[in-house]
Amino acid sequence: MRLARIVLSAALSACGTAAVAQADYPHHAIRIVVPLAAGGNVDIVARTLAEQMAKSLGQPVLVENRPGASSLVGTQFVAKSAADGYTLLAIANTFATVPLIVPDPGYDPLKDFTGVTLTCLVPQVLVVNPSLPARSVKELIALARARPGEISYASSGNGSTGHMAAELFNRQTGVKMLHVPYKGNSQAIVDVIGGQVAMMYDQVSTSTPHIKAGKLRALAVTSLARSPLLPEVPTVDEAGVPGYEDITFNGLVAPAGTPRAALLRVNRAVAEAVRAPDLYKRFIERGVELKASASPEEFSGHIRAELDKKGRLAREAGIKPE
């Protein structure tokens, strides 16, 4: 009986210590791992929010870039990190799509991670080389139907956001276009401007300068609402493909098993940051809408829905692991 009391006392003490630790979270610096090179949208949003989060959390929030192997290096690192709330992963849509196209990604988006919060939404824009005889989505569909498999579209790689947006368009319109995958977005957009490839889906913030300069023609944006950056450009839905929507998102996830108290604390810190009027205005002017999830569970549900949607699209389009 005495031994049982000692064991019970120790267990209660440990639980109490853990509860205090969670209540005091965070008590040292938090690290956000960006599994991509510095300078991209995921990196910029993570760094900007990290500065604001540090003020709310009372501890430094450090951003560490761990690029490589289509974001697998950084993602796998966080998946194997301690589930204590001090190591987070900055993600985009590809977090859910990479496991669909990589034979052994080394992580499961649902089993190895838990959602923390959405951080932003970024619509894409359907752009074409100005020489393409299509000035609207309806004209593009008619042209693609008249020339099946001939109209080419570029993307930053198999399973990338641009590739999936184009395949969704193909599925919903019944057209067939030729996919030309690149190893990155930079050369892809250069070749669309040069006329080597007819079109592509690109983030609004990246393509807008080329659209304004007349180097690209914008046919439609992929969100259900028009972009403040291109208010004169209709949505794909408005332009004749009802219900079409494909928005790039960024967010934060943590290793599975991370205490909910820590998840909620970070979620609230991000929510406070994205509500700052000056910060929101600065990003919306670049076509990026800062936005936080109502709860960690809501963002986990968003990831699950994205995985289901993209998995179904990959199967229908015949996108297979390389």
Side-chain angles (χ1 to χ4, degrees), residues 18-19 21-23 25 82-86 88 114-116 254-266 296-297:
Q22 289 182 31
Y25 173 90
D84 54 10
Y86 291 95
L88 307 173
T114 186
V116 179
T258 298
R260 188 169 186 271
L263 301 178
L264 286 171
R265 189 74 181 86
V266 175
E297 291 78 13

Side-chain angles (χ1 to χ4, degrees), residues 6 87 143 194:
I6 293 173
T87 302
L143 187 65

Side-chain angles (χ1 to χ4, degrees), residues 85-306:
Y86 291 95
T87 302
L88 307 173
L89 177 71
I91 67 166
N93 297 52
T94 48
F95 174 75
T97 57
V98 164
L100 301 174
I101 60 171
V102 176
D104 185 17
Y107 75 95
D108 184 304
L110 301 180
K111 294 180 180 178
D112 296 328
F113 292 92
T114 186
V116 179
T117 183
L118 185 73
T119 55
C120 74
L121 297 172
V122 190
Q124 297 187 78
V125 58
L126 167 54
V127 291
V128 302
N129 182 277
S131 66
L132 190 74
R135 305 191 69 85
S136 69
V137 167
K138 288 184 178 179
E139 289 182 4
L140 175 64
I141 293 171
L143 187 65
R145 286 175 177 165
R147 296 161 53 185
E150 294 182 26
I151 307 299
S152 58
Y153 70 91
S155 82
S156 58
N158 190 42
S160 63
T161 53
H163 181 200
M164 301 304 275
E167 286 299 335
L168 180 61
F169 182 85
N170 290 351
R171 296 294 102 192
Q172 292 190 214
T173 60
V175 302
K176 182 179 181 181
M177 291 189 275
L178 177 64
H179 181 213
V180 183
Y182 287 77
K183 291 185 177 180
N185 198 66
S186 299
Q187 190 57 48
I189 199 166
V190 165
D191 281 4
V192 174
I193 291 172
Q196 287 88 349
V197 187
M199 54 172 275
M200 72 181 294
Y201 285 81
D202 184 37
Q203 287 194 356
V204 170
S205 54
T206 308
S207 279
T208 294
H210 303 300
I211 295 167
K212 302 287 189 186
K215 296 179 181 179
L216 293 172
R217 179 188 301 141
L219 299 189
V221 293
T222 63
S223 49
L224 289 176
R226 294 194 182 196
S227 169
L229 212 55
L230 298 167
E232 72 285 357
V233 178
T235 68
V236 179
D237 172 78
E238 287 177 319
V241 188
Y244 181 97
E245 181 185 30
D246 194 279
I247 302 179
T248 300
F249 71 86
N250 291 1
L252 295 176
V253 295
T258 298
R260 188 169 186 271
L263 301 178
L264 286 171
R265 189 74 181 86
V266 175
N267 178 282
R268 287 197 297 269
V270 172
E272 289 175 18
V274 301
R275 282 197 297 266
D278 57 334
L279 198 63
Y280 184 87
K281 182 175 182 293
R282 191 197 329 162
F283 275 87
I284 204 69
E285 288 174 349
R286 298 178 53 204
V288 178
E289 180 188 2
L290 296 180
K291 187 174 184 179
S293 302
S295 68
E297 291 78 13
E298 180 181 272
F299 189 50
S300 289
H302 182 90
I303 294 170
R304 187 176 297 105
E306 184 73 9

Side-chain angles (χ1 to χ4, degrees), residues 12 31 57 73 82-83 148 205 213 260-261 267 298 307 309 322:
L12 291 173
R31 171 173 52 175
L57 295 170
V73 172
S205 54
R260 188 169 186 271
N267 178 282
E298 180 181 272
L307 189 62
K309 177 182 175 181
E322 297 180 327

